[in-house]
Amino acid sequence: MADKQIDMPTKYDPTAVEAGRYQTWLDEGVFKPSGDPQAKPYSIVLPPPNVTGKLHLGHAWDTTLQDMLIRQKRMQGYDTLWLPGMDHAGIATQAKVEAKLREQGISRYDLGREKFIDQVWEWKDEYADTIHKQWAKMGLSLDYSRERFTLDKGFSDAVKKVFVALYKKGLIYRGEYIINWDPQARTALSDIEVIHKDDKGAFYHVKYPFADKNQTFNGKHYIEIATTRPETMMGDTAVAVNPGDDRYKELVGTKVILPLANREIPIIADQYVDPEFGTGMVKITPAHDPNDFQVGNRHNLERINTMNEDATMNEKAGKYNGMDRFEARKAMVADLDKLGLLLKVDPIVHAVGHSERTGVQVEARLSTQWFVKMKPLAEMAMANQKSDDAVDFVPKRFEHTFMQWMDNAHDWVISRQLWWGHQIPAWYHKGTGEIYVGEEAPKDPENWDRDPDVLDTWFSSGLWPFGTMGWPDESSADFKRYFPTDTLVTGYDIIFFWVSRMIFQSLEFTGKRPFKHVLLHGLIRDEEGRKMSKSLGNGIDPMDVIKKYGADALRWFLSTGSTAGQDVRFSYKKMDAAWNFINKIWNASRFVIMNLGDNTKPVVPAEEKWDLTDRWILSRLNETVKHVTTMFDKFDFGEAGRALYNFIWNDFCDWYIEMSKSVLTGDDEAAKAVKQDLLAYVLDQTLRLLQPIMPFVTEAIWQAMPHEGQSLVTAAYPVDHPEFDNATAESDMTSLIDLIKAVRNIRAEANAPMSTPIDLQIKTGDAKLQAVFENNRDYIDRFVHPKNLEIGADLVAPKLAMTAVITSAEISVPLAELVDLKEEAARLDKEVAKYTAEVARATKKLGNERFVANAPEDVVAGEREKQADNQKKLAATQERLAEIKAQL
C-alpha cells in the first residue's frame, strides 16, 4: 500500500482540528443566504438567549439541533437563513445587575434610572461577547449580518406598533387587579413566572368575636376562622360562607369584630366558599388574594392594601406599620395569643408561589397594571390549529398542551415595575389625567408624564419571528422571503411562556403562523436523572466539555442521544463513546487518504468494474442516505445517528475498508484505481452526511482529500441514487460476512489463532450462494485463512469438527486434535435451544391475528422470512447435533 505523507496525526485532536476553522467559515461568508432567487427559502430564528450569563448545556442542545437542520438544508440547495439574536430579559437581567450593585452597597434608586440603564447596557455588552464566543465554539452557522437584539431600535418600533394596535382594538387595557408581586424586584409577574414550592407553614385558628355581644353560635360568642396568612388580616373586609350551607344561614348579614383592628366586618354568602373545606367559613381580603378580589367585586367590599411594594406593612396595618411581612406575622400571632383570640396552630406543608427570577415568596397584591385581553387572541390561535395553516408540533402530543393552556388562558399582565425593557408607550396628562397611547410622544410633552413601567419580556420576544425580519415593514425583503419561518426548536418547558405568544401575536399581526414546525426537546439532566441546578452543584459548562472532547463529540452526543420531546441524561461515558466514534472516523479517513492515488477523484467508476464489495457498499450507502434524510425530515435525529453509526463503523470501516486492502496491496493497477476512486467517493459522501452534525472534523478531513469546491459547508448533500440499490449484492455480502464471522467464532471457541492452519468446508445446496463463495475465495482466504477450502452441495462433515449454520449453508472446520465432541454437542444443544426459541417467538407473533391484520405488510413479510430462516437453521443444527451424538 502507498504511504502518502498527509497532515493528519494518528490520533484525533479536536483542539487542533477546530483551531481557526470557524473564523475561516466567517471569512468565506458560507453561513449567509445564497441569495439564489430560484432556490427554495428555509429559515430559522434562533431562540434568543438571555443576556444574563453564559450559555448552558440546554442552549448547546437547542442550538445544535437548529444548526443541523440549517446545515443540511443549505447543502440541499435551499436559500437558508439562520438569524441570531439575544433577549434583553427584563426582570432576569435587572435582577443580576441589582445583585451586583448590592454587593457594592448601592441600589438602582441611588443611581437613578438613566445611570442604572447604562450599567445594564455594560452588562449586556459583556455577556453578549461571551455568548458570541460560545456560539463560535459550538460551530453555529449563523448569519451575523442580520443579528438582532430585543431592545434595538427596529425591534422597539415593532413593539410600540403592536402595543398601540392592541390598545386601539380594546385588547390592551389598564385596570386595578390582584396580580403576582415580586417584593424584591418590586414588579408584577405573570402567572407563569411564579414557581410553586412546598414551604413549611401553619393554619392559625383565630376567634372572630360577634359585634353583637349577645349573639352566639353553637354556644360561643365568636366564629372560628383558619388562615395561613395572618399578616393580611388587617385587610379583611368580610367573612364568607356558602349560600347553600345550612349551618351558617342564620349568620349571613350579621357582623363580627376583626381581631387586632377592632373593626366591624359583615358575614356574607358567596358561591366561592367550599363548604367541605375546613370550617366552611373564610376571611375575605380583597386586596391580598385573587379569589377574594373577585368576591369583593361581587359584594362591593372595600379593598384595603396593607403592604408596601417591598412587602413591609404600611400604615393601614396599624401598629405593625414598617414591619417585614413575616415579622408582622409573628407579632400578630403573639398578640392574638395574648388577647386570647388564638385557638390553635396546626403546622402544615403547602405549595407557595415564588418568583422564578429572584426566588422570593410572591405576594398577591392589588395593583393598577396593563393587561392583554387573552380570550379573543386565544380563540384565534386555537381556531388556526384546525386550519391548513396549523403549526406542526413535534412530538404531536404537545399540541394538546398548547391547546389546553390557550383554552384556560387568563388575561395577561404585561406591565413590569422595572427600568430595563421596553417602556410602555403611554402618557398621563398632568392636569386632566387623560391617558394617551401612541407610537410617538405627545406633541406637548411638558404637559404629560410617561408611564414608568416596562413591558413583560415575553411581550417583545413574542414578536421575534417577524419582528426580526423587518416587520412592520411588510415590504421588507427578508419578511417577504423568509417569513413565516420553517422550524422553531425550543424546550417543551416554554410552550406557555413563548411558543404560544409567538403564535397568537403572529396570527394577529401578520395573519400567518410564525413557523411551520415547532420541534420541542426536553431537559438536560445529570447521570442520575436530576435536573441540573446551582443548588445541586451538578451543572456542566458546555465549554468545559468542548475543551476535553471537542465540539463535534458534544454535538454528536446531544443530537443522537434522545428522542424528540424526551429529556436526555448527560454522561461522560457517552462523551467517551462519542470521541471514540470520531477517532474511528479520523483513522479510517486517514488510512483512505494515505492510500489514494495521484489521480484519484471521489467519483463512481463504470459499473462493469465493480466487484461484490463495491456493489454492496454503494447499496448500503444509498440506503443510509435515504434513511438519514427521511429521519432528518421527521426530526428523528437519534435514528439518523444510529443509521450513520452502523454504516460508518460496521459497513465502511470494519468491512469495506478491510476488504479493500487486498486490492490496494495487489499488482492490478486498474483494479486499484477503481477501489481508490470508490473509497474516496464513499468517504466524501459519508463526510457530507455527517457535516450537519460534526462540522469541524468533517471539514478538516474533506479539505485533506481530493474534493471540488471551497468548503464542505456549501457542498451538495447526498441524494438518492436508485441505480445503487442492489438487494442481491446486500444479500450475497451478508452471506459472505456471516461466513467470515462464523469461522472466526469457531476459531475463537477452539482457541485456534489465525496462524493455526484449518480446513474449511462450506456445504450449500443453493447454487447462487455456492457461486458467491466461489467468486469470493480471495476474501475468504484473506479473512479466515483456510489451508484447504471445499465448497459444495454433497460434502460430509468430518467426525471431529466444529460446525456453524448460516442462512442456506453449513460450515464445518475439522479440528481433530482441538475439539472435544462432548463440548461441541453441548454448544450445539445451546444453538438448538436458541433457534427453537426464535421459531416459537415468530410462530406466536404470526399466530396473532391482530398483528397480521394491523402491522404493515413489509413487517409481517419480514417476520415470515425470519421464521423460515430460523426453521432452516434449526433443522440443520439438529441434524448436525444428531451426527455428533451418534459418535459419542
Side-chain angles (χ1 to χ4, degrees):
M1 282 182 285
D3 190 11
K4 271 187 184 174
Q5 292 300 309
I6 60 168
D7 188 19
M8 287 182 71
T10 55
K11 188 178 178 183
Y12 164 60
D13 178 0
T15 305
V17 165
E18 293 169 15
R21 181 69 58 191
Y22 194 75
Q23 189 58 49
T24 300
W25 285 328
L26 292 181
D27 293 343
E28 292 172 346
V30 294
F31 296 161
K32 293 182 179 180
S34 68
D36 178 1
Q38 303 304 314
K40 189 176 179 182
Y42 187 94
S43 60
I44 294 177
V45 288
L46 179 83
N50 296 346
V51 286
T52 47
K54 298 176 180 178
L55 302 182
H56 51 65
L57 267 179
H59 288 116
W61 189 11
D62 195 77
T63 54
T64 292
L65 298 182
Q66 293 168 71
D67 196 30
M68 287 163 52
L69 289 169
I70 213 79
R71 282 178 178 273
Q72 188 207 41
K73 294 299 181 186
R74 184 185 292 120
M75 295 177 76
Q76 288 176 328
Y78 286 79
D79 176 25
T80 55
L81 169 61
W82 190 17
L83 190 148
M86 299 182 202
D87 198 314
H88 68 281
I91 188 171
T93 306
Q94 181 159 322
K96 292 273 189 181
V97 177
E98 287 198 79
K100 184 181 174 183
L101 291 175
R102 276 198 299 275
E103 292 173 5
Q104 301 166 26
I106 55 177
S107 75
R108 62 168 154 147
Y109 302 103
D110 296 326
L111 291 175
R113 186 166 190 148
E114 195 172 322
K115 288 185 177 176
F116 175 75
I117 294 297
D118 288 343
Q119 291 268 316
V120 188
W121 275 108
E122 285 180 22
W123 173 284
K124 178 262 175 188
D125 290 342
E126 178 188 345
Y127 281 94
D129 184 57
T130 299
I131 289 168
H132 280 132
K133 289 173 181 173
Q134 291 181 303
W135 284 346
K137 281 284 187 187
M138 288 295 300
L140 307 184
S141 59
L142 298 156
D143 178 10
Y144 291 100
S145 69
R146 287 173 165 83
E147 184 175 350
R148 299 300 299 272
F149 182 54
T150 51
L151 279 181
D152 66 31
K153 185 185 182 306
F155 214 80
S156 293
D157 291 344
V159 169
K160 283 186 282 190
K161 186 173 185 69
V162 165
F163 185 94
V164 173
L166 290 174
Y167 177 78
K168 287 180 177 176
K169 199 173 181 179
L171 293 177
I172 282 183
Y173 64 93
R174 192 167 184 259
E176 189 179 49
Y177 286 89
I178 287 283
I179 47 90
N180 301 300
W181 183 262
D182 181 328
Q184 180 172 308
R186 299 190 194 184
T187 183
L189 301 172
S190 64
D191 291 344
I192 53 179
E193 290 172 304
V194 177
I195 299 170
H196 287 84
K197 301 178 184 175
D198 284 343
D199 281 356
K200 289 181 180 178
F203 267 124
Y204 300 90
H205 295 258
V206 181
K207 295 179 182 178
Y208 279 50
F210 289 111
D212 180 350
K213 293 182 179 177
N214 296 316
Q215 185 176 350
T216 60
F217 178 71
N218 289 341
K220 297 171 183 175
H221 292 278
Y222 61 85
I223 57 173
E224 180 181 336
I225 297 294
T227 178
T228 59
R229 305 184 68 225
E231 66 272 21
T232 65
M233 282 176 58
M234 303 297 272
D236 289 1
T237 52
V239 168
V241 298
N242 189 288
D245 194 335
D246 291 338
R247 293 174 296 174
Y248 304 128
K249 273 188 176 177
E250 63 188 81
L251 296 180
V252 176
T254 64
K255 294 183 177 180
V256 291
I257 302 293
L258 177 62
L260 304 178
N262 291 318
R263 173 164 45 86
E264 289 188 6
I265 57 174
I267 297 177
I268 61 173
D270 194 276
Q271 288 290 350
Y272 157 67
V273 183
D274 180 0
E276 303 296 321
F277 183 75
T279 62
M281 306 181 82
V282 295
K283 73 188 198 72
I284 302 298
T285 321
H288 289 281
D289 183 275
N291 294 309
D292 293 4
F293 176 79
Q294 298 294 342
V295 174
N297 285 352
R298 288 194 286 272
H299 297 269
N300 296 313
L301 298 176
E302 185 183 2
R303 302 166 184 164
I304 304 173
N305 188 348
T306 64
M307 278 189 205
N308 297 311
E309 289 183 355
D310 62 355
T312 57
M313 309 308 291
N314 64 24
E315 68 281 357
K316 292 182 180 176
K319 65 180 276 192
Y320 309 102
N321 183 13
M323 296 178 76
D324 171 77
R325 55 183 166 167
F326 300 122
E327 289 175 17
R329 178 186 294 181
K330 291 177 186 175
M332 289 181 179
V333 170
D335 288 347
L336 288 168
D337 197 23
K338 283 179 194 172
L339 293 168
L341 296 174
L342 185 67
L343 289 165
K344 62 178 177 175
V345 179
D346 292 331
I348 60 168
V349 174
H350 59 152
V352 178
H354 291 73
S355 169
E356 181 195 30
R357 296 302 179 185
T358 64
V360 300
Q361 188 171 310
V362 168
E363 280 295 331
R365 188 170 192 269
L366 185 65
S367 179
T368 300
Q369 302 286 344
W370 290 91
F371 294 83
V372 170
K373 194 178 291 183
M374 281 300 301
K375 189 176 180 185
L377 295 168
E379 286 175 347
M380 175 179 58
M382 289 190 291
N384 187 69
Q385 284 307 109
K386 296 172 184 174
S387 76
D388 293 339
D389 204 37
V391 174
D392 172 33
F393 282 79
V394 183
K396 189 71 174 172
R397 67 178 182 275
F398 287 113
E399 182 176 14
H400 175 71
T401 306
F402 166 77
M403 296 289 276
Q404 198 171 36
W405 188 77
M406 280 297 187
D407 196 34
N408 294 290
H410 301 125
D411 283 4
W412 170 23
V413 56
I414 54 171
S415 43
R416 296 290 180 270
Q417 289 64 55
L418 303 170
W419 290 350
W420 174 245
H422 292 278
Q423 195 169 349
I424 289 173
W427 288 259
Y428 309 105
H429 196 276
K430 293 176 182 177
T432 65
E434 175 194 350
I435 298 177
Y436 163 76
V437 172
E439 293 178 56
E440 304 296 333
K443 292 178 180 176
D444 54 339
E446 67 279 3
N447 295 322
W448 299 81
D449 286 323
R450 186 168 183 179
D451 194 312
D453 290 355
V454 301
L455 287 163
D456 176 15
T457 299
W458 299 105
F459 187 92
S460 50
S461 58
L463 316 182
W464 190 246
F466 55 97
T468 53
M469 299 285 187
W471 189 93
D473 178 9
E474 297 197 357
S475 65
S476 157
D478 280 358
F479 183 79
K480 288 167 71 176
R481 178 73 170 157
Y482 300 110
F483 183 83
T485 64
D486 287 87
T487 305
L488 174 79
V489 182
T490 191
Y492 62 59
D493 54 329
I494 59 171
I495 291 177
F496 318 128
F497 287 96
W498 192 42
V499 175
S500 59
R501 285 167 179 166
M502 284 189 285
I503 291 173
F504 70 69
Q505 294 280 51
S506 178
L507 291 170
E508 174 68 19
F509 288 99
T510 73
K512 298 173 183 176
R513 59 187 174 183
F515 27 76
K516 296 170 188 170
H517 313 281
V518 53
L519 171 61
L520 295 154
H521 58 75
L523 304 175
I524 296 265
R525 299 185 178 275
D526 67 11
E527 292 194 59
E528 296 174 34
R530 301 174 301 175
K531 188 175 178 179
M532 290 186 177
S533 67
K534 287 181 181 176
S535 58
L536 290 173
N538 61 346
I540 291 169
D541 186 337
M543 297 304 111
D544 291 340
V545 179
I546 289 173
K547 190 174 180 181
K548 183 176 181 182
Y549 294 97
D552 289 326
L554 178 59
R555 289 169 63 109
W556 175 261
F557 161 72
L558 291 172
S559 62
T560 63
S562 73
T563 306
Q566 300 297 316
D567 294 347
V568 67
R569 294 189 183 193
F570 181 82
S571 157
Y572 281 108
K573 189 178 287 185
K574 289 177 182 175
M575 284 305 308
D576 288 335
W579 184 91
N580 284 332
F581 178 46
I582 298 176
N583 192 53
K584 177 91 168 178
I585 295 167
W586 180 263
N587 283 318
S589 302
R590 184 174 181 275
F591 171 82
V592 169
I593 295 169
M594 285 173 61
N595 286 280
L596 296 180
D598 294 335
N599 297 316
T600 299
K601 292 180 181 178
V603 294
V604 180
E607 186 175 351
E608 62 268 16
K609 297 179 181 179
W610 303 349
D611 67 11
L612 171 61
T613 63
D614 301 332
R615 294 194 300 274
W616 169 74
I617 198 65
L618 288 172
S619 186
R620 292 298 308 125
L621 171 65
N622 204 47
E623 179 59 34
T624 304
V625 168
K626 289 186 288 185
H627 192 62
V628 169
T629 304
T630 300
M631 291 303 107
F632 260 68
D633 289 345
K634 291 182 176 180
F635 306 110
D636 191 344
F637 303 121
E639 178 59 22
R642 187 196 64 77
L644 280 167
Y645 182 93
N646 287 340
F647 173 75
I648 293 164
W649 194 293
N650 299 328
D651 299 339
F652 188 53
C653 295
D654 284 359
W655 291 104
Y656 187 68
I657 289 178
E658 287 302 314
M659 288 182 155
S660 298
K661 288 178 180 177
S662 59
V663 178
L664 296 173
T665 55
D667 298 325
D668 187 336
E669 293 301 321
K672 189 185 299 186
V674 169
K675 196 63 71 175
Q676 288 169 329
D677 283 349
L678 270 171
L679 279 164
Y681 176 79
V682 175
L683 177 57
D684 170 89
Q685 295 292 295
T686 302
L687 294 173
R688 292 171 192 243
L689 285 173
L690 281 170
Q691 192 271 340
I693 307 175
M694 39 177 89
F696 289 104
V697 69
T698 53
E699 181 79 76
I701 296 168
W702 195 74
Q703 294 290 350
M705 66 179 286
H707 66 274
E708 289 183 4
Q710 177 187 36
S711 170
L712 187 58
V713 173
T714 49
Y717 196 75
V719 295
D720 177 18
H721 285 280
E723 69 273 19
F724 290 171
D725 289 335
N726 194 322
T728 302
E730 293 209 36
S731 174
D732 291 350
M733 190 67 180
T734 298
S735 296
L736 188 58
I737 289 172
D738 285 349
L739 167 68
I740 293 166
K741 285 180 178 177
V743 178
R744 284 176 171 176
N745 288 339
I746 288 172
R747 278 188 175 276
E749 287 187 36
N751 292 317
M754 283 296 197
S755 57
T756 304
I758 62 166
D759 291 337
L760 175 61
Q761 283 188 355
I762 305 171
K763 180 182 178 181
T764 176
D766 185 329
K768 288 182 181 178
L769 187 58
Q770 190 171 330
V772 169
F773 293 144
E774 288 286 2
N775 293 336
N776 289 281
R777 277 178 174 263
D778 287 350
Y779 288 122
I780 297 171
D781 287 343
R782 176 176 172 79
F783 284 93
V784 301
H785 295 192
K787 182 174 61 176
N788 296 303
L789 171 60
E790 289 184 274
I791 304 170
D794 303 317
L795 300 176
V796 178
K799 290 184 178 180
L800 290 174
M802 289 189 73
T803 58
V805 177
I806 62 173
T807 302
S808 302
E810 298 169 47
I811 299 159
S812 300
V813 177
L815 294 170
E817 62 277 4
L818 295 176
V819 174
D820 182 311
L821 286 180
K822 288 183 179 178
E823 287 182 5
E824 178 64 358
R827 188 184 71 80
L828 289 170
D829 267 327
K830 290 178 183 176
E831 289 288 293
V832 167
K834 181 181 79 174
Y835 291 130
T836 300
E838 282 298 313
V839 169
R841 182 200 62 78
T843 302
K844 183 178 179 182
K845 198 166 188 179
L846 291 167
N848 183 334
E849 291 180 6
R850 288 180 64 189
F851 168 73
V852 174
N854 299 323
E857 284 183 26
D858 59 330
V859 173
V860 176
E863 201 60 48
R864 288 201 169 106
E865 281 180 26
K866 277 192 274 184
Q867 181 190 39
D869 187 40
N870 283 318
Q871 281 173 333
K872 284 182 185 176
K873 288 177 179 177
L874 174 60
T877 307
Q878 286 173 325
E879 185 181 337
R880 183 62 188 143
L881 177 60
E883 290 173 2
I884 293 283
K885 285 185 174 178
Q887 297 173 42
L888 291 175

